[in-house]
Amino acid sequence: MIHKNLIFAGTFCLLAFGTLNAQKKAYLDKSKPTEERIDLLMKQMTIEEKVGQMNQYNGFWEVTGPAPKGGNAEVKYEHLRKGWVGSMLNVRGVKEVRAVQKIAVEETRLGIPLIIGFDVIHGYKTLSPIPLAESASWDMEAIKKSAQIAADEASAVGINWTFAPMIDIYRDARWGRVMEGAGEDPYLGSKIAIARVKGFQGETKADLLKVNTIAACAKHFAAYGFAEAGRDYNTVDISNSTLYNTVLPPFKAATDAGIRTFMNSFNILNGVPATGSSFLQRDILKGNWKFDGFVVTDWGSIREMIVHGYAKDGAEASERAVNAGSDMDMESSLYVAELVKLVQEGKVKETLIDDAVRRILRVKFELGLFDDPYKYCDEKREKAIVGSKANNDGVLDMAKKSIVLLKNDKNLLPLKKSGQKIALIGALANDKNSPLGSWRIAADDNTAVSVLEGMQQYKGNQLTFEKGADLTIGKTSFTNEVVLNTTDKSGFEAAKKVAANADVVVMVLGEVGFQTGEGRSRSNLDLPGLQQELLEEIYKVNPNIVLVLNNGRPLALPWAAKNIPTIVEAWHLGTQAGNAVAQVLYGDYNPSGKLPMSFPRNVGQCPIYYNNYSTGRPGNSDTNVFWSHYTDVEKTPQFPFGFGLSYTTFDYKNLKINKTAFAKGEPVTVSVEVTNSGNYDGKEVVQLYIHDEFGSLARPVKELKGFELIELKKGETKTVSFTLTDKELGFYNNDGNYLVEPGTFKIMVGGSSDKGLESGFELK
Ligand code: BGC
């Protein structure tokens, strides 16, 4: 009897244990709705484990090697094994990601998988042009495709979250991070933000479950692009109008497009560091916009609140950050150190911790990480995808579309394919590193096709290369300041000799790849080093110069703009840069890019942008000095926003608006005829600008509110139509309320922001 009872009790225990275990793992049941799965999991989490989800560490040791011994790394490793780490960044490669994921999934009490973040800014190993360059394409499909390629490669090496797109709007070319965004305009910036989000994440939330999509991150929230004087990390001091009408719209567009994460920013806004800003993160983002993903801080930005003078110590900084809605701590190590105690002391409500954790877990569930934590860890896929032919073809296509023809006065371009002596001059022409641009942590050095290699594909001409002068001393890298060699001119003579002998001189000048990007602000926008001098020397012996610019920001080149007949803006175009440049120079691709950012005449004009306000004294009618201008330079930019030429020409005529007056809410239809009047087939970006002539608040002189990229065979005409609704005709007042006011509107349609056909209508 005893024996029987024992068996019964044992069986009961096993069954009960089994049921308990099944209950514990019920959150793994895919058939349950995500929110229920989160509830089931969170019920089992200790406060330490919850806070752990809010902690993100940088890849801190040779992950596939032995566990670290001593110091910080050992502590972090221990945290990982205890389930006190929710995410890691900069761990990459299937082997490495699998190793850390294994610890999270198999060694921690609850086995919650990590989300693996990385700065996939313009590709992983196969690089697209820098984002500013891509934006010059105004081609939303191409930009989306480029983000898809980046997601494809990143997901194949274990990464499932990119810290991109950067959707900061900015107006100052001195800021090094202009290379990372979409330029100066919030309308174009919003469209590009949407294209990039969809490229990374897919069209719908369900696409996140696919193996080749990754979660995107809208950064830097907010106003980081307005760092004073373009100096990175500097103070931001902007009006409400700029905040609501310029800075926030692309972030709102990304939210509406379903972006899953946000990153806050290093700057202060009205004295409050963004990381501690409840106004930005709780009121606007999570409140008004109903964003239900999570916010990661920028690198160490919780700790930086102490340096800002906004928190006295780590505990206060953590309290302020979490209360303000910063959900995940990137590399401050403060949440993991402080939050549990802050909850126990009643300084932080546990409900706020729960909210943050729920958001983080939600994205992990949506990515399918609970269903298969190793879903991005497939060696075969890694091998097949990274650097594939298809990806190289894709980035080449994007690179060609990003090139902007700024000047072609003597029609030196396209180059003839035979019988020509071509001198190729400039260290950047033979540089396989600089075209990769900044922010390319995973790409191998010297893996871009150089302009020299690209041009060598065309064998009909006699091509001679001379560098003229070196650009840098030693190796440049992500973390080091770029050092320019400014003295050795010994190569000038050889360069002058080949130039004197050539039919056409192609000079590749500009910035080295790491001269832009984070921490790379400049107080000059000239050609660094000896390049300007070299350009002028070569010009003396042969003025038939095609200047190809390689740069990550607008440069101010007044001498070149005046004297050099042909200028091609070729940015830092990524892995296939040289092929793209050569195909454009030889006319196998007709350039159609348009500038996403104004190019100043000199650095003193910065910040300069097209959608400025009128001022009370915009223009001069006589010789009087008292109007808004400079006494030593024109007030217009050298090359305006939206500007870019083609090998063909486009004529605009018959601008029509379907009525002269409209009721509020009624759509306004604008149409225009565009004809390809030149000798090549080509593409044109037709742009529509509005000007709200007067209102309860002054409005900018021009605002882009529509564009279309069209393709026209030579001689062909197309009618392009735009519809303007309340969405385009209104603006935010200083309280953030959207207004559509009656009044008169001017419209302008053309191929650049500085000129076009004009008309107008009234809104009753
Ligand atoms: C940058 C972010 C970046 C982060 C992680 C920070 O310094 O501001 O844009 O995502 O580092 O690398």
Side-chain angles (χ1 to χ4, degrees):
M1 190 63 186
I2 292 169
H3 182 66
K4 252 189 174 177
N5 275 348
L6 268 181
I7 291 175
F8 173 76
T11 316
F12 177 79
C13 276
L14 269 178
L15 278 175
F17 183 70
T19 321
L20 209 70
N21 226 2
Q23 268 172 9
K24 273 190 176 168
K25 298 276 173 195
Y27 64 89
L28 291 178
D29 180 353
K30 278 202 234 179
S31 66
K32 290 191 171 23
T34 303
E35 297 306 308
E36 192 185 329
R37 294 175 77 182
I38 299 172
D39 286 337
L40 288 165
L41 175 57
M42 281 182 60
K43 269 189 206 141
Q44 304 176 55
M45 293 172 77
T46 62
I47 182 74
E48 287 80 7
E49 284 162 342
K50 287 179 184 170
V51 167
Q53 285 304 302
M54 300 166 71
N55 180 32
Q56 183 188 50
Y57 282 147
N58 186 30
F60 47 82
W61 85 102
E62 187 59 45
V63 269
T64 47
K69 288 263 169 293
N72 210 8
E74 189 172 2
V75 173
K76 287 175 164 185
Y77 182 68
E78 273 318 300
H79 287 179
L80 182 62
R81 298 182 66 212
K82 282 184 175 160
W84 290 5
V85 181
S87 171
M88 290 188 63
L89 76 152
N90 290 334
V91 179
R92 60 189 189 271
V94 164
K95 212 165 139 204
E96 285 75 7
V97 172
R98 183 184 288 280
V100 285
Q101 197 66 292
K102 211 161 173 251
I103 299 175
V105 172
E106 293 174 26
E107 294 188 36
T108 68
R109 195 179 73 90
L110 291 169
I112 301 175
L114 299 163
I115 178 166
I116 305 285
F118 197 81
D119 289 279
V120 187
I121 307 297
H122 52 114
Y124 180 71
K125 240 186 221 318
T126 312
L127 296 185
S128 281
I130 55 168
L132 182 66
E134 284 190 357
S135 305
S137 71
W138 296 53
D139 184 333
M140 299 308 117
E141 275 311 304
I143 291 173
K144 185 160 93 182
K145 178 86 211 313
S146 164
Q148 273 165 359
I149 293 171
D152 198 34
E153 286 205 358
S155 61
V157 301
I159 293 159
N160 40 50
W161 177 23
T162 174
F163 305 126
M166 185 187 99
I167 52 186
D168 298 310
I169 298 296
Y170 41 76
R171 297 163 168 174
D172 197 325
R174 289 172 292 181
W175 193 45
R177 298 194 83 167
V178 304
M179 55 83 42
E180 261 182 86
E184 73 189 35
D185 181 65
Y187 183 86
L188 179 63
S190 297
K191 300 284 177 206
I192 291 176
I194 296 167
R196 291 195 169 130
V197 172
K198 300 216 158 164
F200 287 127
Q201 296 192 163
E203 293 297 320
T204 64
K205 211 186 263 178
D207 285 339
L208 280 178
L209 285 173
K210 293 183 179 161
V211 74
N212 60 353
T213 54
I214 56 180
C217 180
K219 73 187 190 186
H220 304 84
F221 199 61
Y224 179 47
F226 280 77
E228 276 182 357
R231 203 183 73 222
D232 208 0
Y233 318 124
N234 199 9
T235 303
V236 168
D237 196 353
I238 58 169
S239 68
N240 278 4
S241 179
T242 302
L243 178 70
Y244 288 119
N245 290 294
T246 305
V247 170
L248 294 181
F251 286 102
K252 171 75 163 66
T255 308
D256 294 343
I259 197 156
R260 300 316 292 135
T261 74
F262 262 62
M263 183 186 291
N264 57 33
S265 53
F266 291 130
N267 56 283
I268 58 166
L269 187 67
N270 293 319
V272 180
T275 307
S277 175
S278 228
F279 164 67
L280 287 171
Q281 304 186 132
R282 290 221 183 269
D283 301 351
I284 294 180
L285 179 61
K286 296 177 178 176
N288 295 352
W289 298 353
K290 302 192 170 32
F291 171 70
D292 69 353
F294 70 89
V295 180
V296 64
T297 72
D298 203 346
W299 181 283
S301 67
I302 301 180
R303 196 175 288 280
E304 284 186 13
M305 292 210 290
I306 307 169
V307 192
H308 275 294
Y310 187 68
K312 66 174 183 300
D313 54 22
E316 194 171 271
S318 304
E319 180 187 333
R320 294 199 144 192
V322 78
N323 286 339
S326 295
D327 300 312
M328 185 182 276
D329 171 4
M330 180 191 283
E331 265 294 310
S332 275
S333 307
L334 280 175
Y335 275 4
V336 72
E338 306 289 351
L339 280 188
V340 173
K341 199 159 158 256
L342 287 168
V343 171
Q344 282 157 358
E345 288 169 356
K347 290 189 174 152
V348 169
K349 289 200 199 106
E350 190 163 351
T351 50
L352 290 187
I353 304 288
D354 285 348
D355 176 63
V357 175
R358 173 172 292 277
R359 289 166 179 276
I360 293 162
L361 293 177
R362 184 177 290 138
V363 177
K364 292 186 177 183
F365 273 109
E366 288 168 353
L367 284 165
L369 282 168
F370 282 94
D371 308 328
D372 178 5
Y374 303 109
K375 88 180 238 222
Y376 305 94
C377 298
D378 172 353
E379 269 94 357
K380 262 203 228 134
R381 203 176 150 244
E382 180 176 44
K383 229 171 144 204
I385 303 254
V386 178
S388 72
K389 161 113 183 27
N391 289 352
N392 273 284
D393 290 348
V395 299
L396 172 59
D397 183 60
M398 186 74 250
K400 289 188 280 191
K401 290 174 171 159
S402 306
I403 292 173
V404 187
L405 180 63
L406 294 175
K407 205 176 163 198
N408 196 16
D409 279 1
K410 293 205 239 163
N411 287 330
L412 290 181
L413 291 183
L415 296 173
K416 295 193 187 79
K417 285 189 176 159
S418 61
Q420 299 277 294
K421 281 195 220 145
I422 309 231
L424 179 62
I425 294 173
L428 284 171
N430 190 26
D431 190 337
K432 292 173 67 59
N433 215 26
S434 285
L436 300 175
S438 202
W439 274 119
R440 37 99 169 178
I441 311 174
D444 301 320
D445 282 348
N446 298 311
T447 47
V449 177
S450 69
V451 174
L452 174 60
E453 289 168 327
M455 290 191 72
Q456 280 167 342
Q457 305 300 310
Y458 290 83
K459 307 210 185 287
N461 288 329
Q462 189 187 318
L463 179 72
T464 316
F465 167 72
E466 277 297 335
K467 70 178 175 191
D470 275 327
L471 250 185
T472 53
I473 308 173
K475 194 170 141 48
T476 63
S477 77
F478 183 59
T479 44
N480 293 340
E481 239 26 282
V482 172
V483 185
L484 294 164
N485 176 0
T486 51
T487 52
D488 184 4
K489 296 185 201 165
S490 58
F492 271 36
E493 278 316 306
K496 275 160 78 174
K497 209 164 150 201
V498 296
N501 234 332
D503 297 301
V504 180
V505 183
V506 176
M507 291 189 76
V508 185
L509 306 177
E511 300 177 311
V512 295
F514 285 120
Q515 212 151 12
T516 49
E518 186 174 350
R520 268 65 181 217
S521 298
R522 291 181 63 199
S523 69
N524 265 311
L525 296 173
D526 55 2
L527 291 168
L530 291 171
Q531 295 179 101
Q532 180 65 33
E533 199 179 329
L534 179 66
L535 177 63
E536 292 182 28
E537 286 294 302
I538 299 292
Y539 181 78
K540 282 184 201 154
V541 298
N542 190 343
N544 284 341
I545 296 177
V546 173
L547 172 60
V548 177
L549 295 172
N550 279 190
N551 44 314
R553 57 156 64 79
L555 295 176
L557 305 174
W559 186 89
K562 184 161 169 248
N563 295 293
I564 300 300
T566 297
I567 305 179
V568 177
E569 178 50 75
W571 316 101
H572 292 138
L573 289 176
T575 306
Q576 289 290 329
N579 286 332
V581 170
Q583 288 181 29
V584 164
L585 296 187
Y586 276 105
D588 284 340
Y589 190 87
N590 187 355
S592 58
K594 302 275 187 180
L595 295 178
M597 200 177 171
S598 308
F599 275 44
R601 293 174 190 274
N602 65 34
V603 72
Q605 287 185 314
C606 289
I608 186 165
Y609 50 100
Y610 84 95
N611 50 358
N612 50 355
Y613 290 93
S614 161
T615 77
R617 299 182 180 193
N620 188 19
S621 50
D622 49 36
T623 52
N624 190 318
V625 73
F626 301 110
W627 63 291
S628 179
H629 72 303
Y630 297 103
T631 56
D632 55 356
V633 68
E634 283 172 65
K635 71 188 259 190
T636 54
Q638 187 83 63
F639 299 110
F641 173 83
F643 173 77
L645 303 170
S646 161
Y647 294 149
T648 191
T649 47
F650 298 99
D651 290 345
Y652 286 72
K653 58 175 188 300
N654 284 334
L655 176 64
K656 286 187 193 145
I657 304 180
N658 62 330
K659 290 205 299 191
T660 51
F662 296 84
K664 210 169 136 177
E666 210 185 332
V668 178
T669 308
V670 180
S671 67
V672 71
E673 274 174 37
V674 187
T675 303
N676 179 343
S677 52
N679 294 322
Y680 299 83
D681 298 345
K683 288 192 288 181
E684 167 75 336
V685 182
V686 183
Q687 302 159 43
L688 177 144
Y689 296 85
I690 67 162
H691 173 46
D692 183 350
E693 291 190 286
F694 50 88
S696 57
L697 295 170
R699 302 301 307 139
V701 292
K702 256 170 219 175
E703 295 175 273
L704 180 74
K705 291 294 175 181
F707 63 88
E708 198 174 319
L709 175 64
I710 57 167
E711 216 164 333
L712 291 177
K713 299 244 169 270
K714 63 179 170 179
E716 192 183 348
T717 298
K718 263 187 193 163
T719 302
V720 179
S721 298
F722 298 95
T723 306
L724 298 170
T725 63
D726 282 0
K727 246 174 104 185
E728 288 78 28
L729 298 176
F731 62 90
Y732 290 94
N733 71 7
N734 292 334
D735 300 320
N737 297 318
Y738 191 74
L739 308 177
V740 182
E741 294 184 338
T744 52
F745 287 79
K746 268 193 187 157
I747 61 157
M748 188 195 87
V749 179
S752 173
S753 68
D754 64 334
K755 55 175 179 290
L757 300 177
E758 292 184 16
S759 186
F761 63 88
E762 191 182 348
L763 199 62
K764 298 243 181 211

